[in-house]
Amino acid sequence: GMMDVLKYHLECELQILAHRLGLVPIKADPQQFEQVERYDNELANEDNSLFFELNVRCRRLGPGEAAPSGVEVVDGVIYGNVYSSDIKWKPQGDQASKFAANPPCMVHDDILIAKLKPGQSIAVQLTAFKGIGAEHAKWSPVATATYQMMPGVVLLDKFKGAEA
């Protein structure tokens, strides 16, 4: 997929945000889209792509102000935690009627994408397209990744006899 940055005021690197957004699984029927051999943002259309938007600004609520419906409030702050539920589908062409019964959305609404402080914001447009990961291995849906801690023990003194 592709990410167009409209506005970005955040302490983490843009690449980290893009990577986190790219890992959020989308619930959509892949049979409804044309296969893309090599993705070009200019060729994106309602037949081969889905379009989403993430537009949030962390701020403190004013006295007596209520939070928007469904938005988490922590210590009087809204959008301190940005979740996958904040990503909104933007239908193109006839997609609204085509997917009326089952609109595309994120598989899980509770995936934490970023933590913001008051005054920070994210405004990005996201484009998802049907592919098989052949263009680059980083888009392949399967991979082997392992991690093993290999601690090293260093003794500062030499021990002999009963001490050892």
Side-chain angles (χ1 to χ4, degrees):
M2 302 293 288
M3 180 175 91
D4 292 325
V5 179
L6 303 175
K7 186 170 60 171
Y8 175 79
H9 182 248
L10 188 59
E11 290 179 3
C12 81
E13 292 290 328
L14 188 57
Q15 298 92 314
I16 294 170
L17 176 65
H19 180 72
R20 291 185 67 85
L21 288 167
L23 291 174
V24 176
I26 299 170
K27 181 180 174 186
D29 182 4
Q31 301 300 321
Q32 299 292 319
F33 299 94
E34 297 172 358
Q35 182 74 30
V36 176
E37 292 299 321
R38 181 156 175 82
Y39 190 78
D40 181 349
N41 207 18
E42 304 224 352
L43 299 176
N45 61 46
E46 66 270 13
D47 297 322
N48 62 22
S49 301
L50 284 172
F51 302 88
F52 295 91
E53 182 178 75
L54 175 61
N55 190 356
V56 295
R57 183 175 64 86
C58 180
R59 65 181 180 85
R60 292 196 181 284
L61 291 173
E65 181 183 3
S69 176
V71 175
E72 178 183 57
V73 179
V74 178
D75 296 329
V77 174
I78 59 172
Y79 294 116
N81 295 323
V82 180
Y83 293 101
S84 52
S85 59
D86 297 318
I87 300 172
K88 305 300 180 200
W89 175 49
K90 297 296 178 185
Q92 304 292 307
D94 67 344
Q95 286 183 339
S97 59
K98 183 178 181 180
F99 298 111
N102 195 12
C105 61
M106 303 303 114
V107 173
H108 304 287
D109 285 340
D110 59 351
I111 299 172
L112 182 64
I113 294 170
K115 287 183 166 272
L116 304 179
K117 295 178 188 174
Q120 294 181 327
S121 62
I122 301 172
V124 293
Q125 292 179 338
L126 309 165
T127 306
F129 59 92
K130 179 180 174 181
I132 58 172
E135 185 174 329
H136 195 287
K138 68 183 175 187
W139 290 310
S140 178
V142 295
T144 302
T146 62
Y147 177 78
Q148 180 179 4
M149 276 188 85
M150 305 284 287
V153 177
V154 178
L155 300 177
L156 300 176
D157 292 327
K158 293 186 179 188
F159 298 95
K160 293 184 181 180
E163 290 180 316

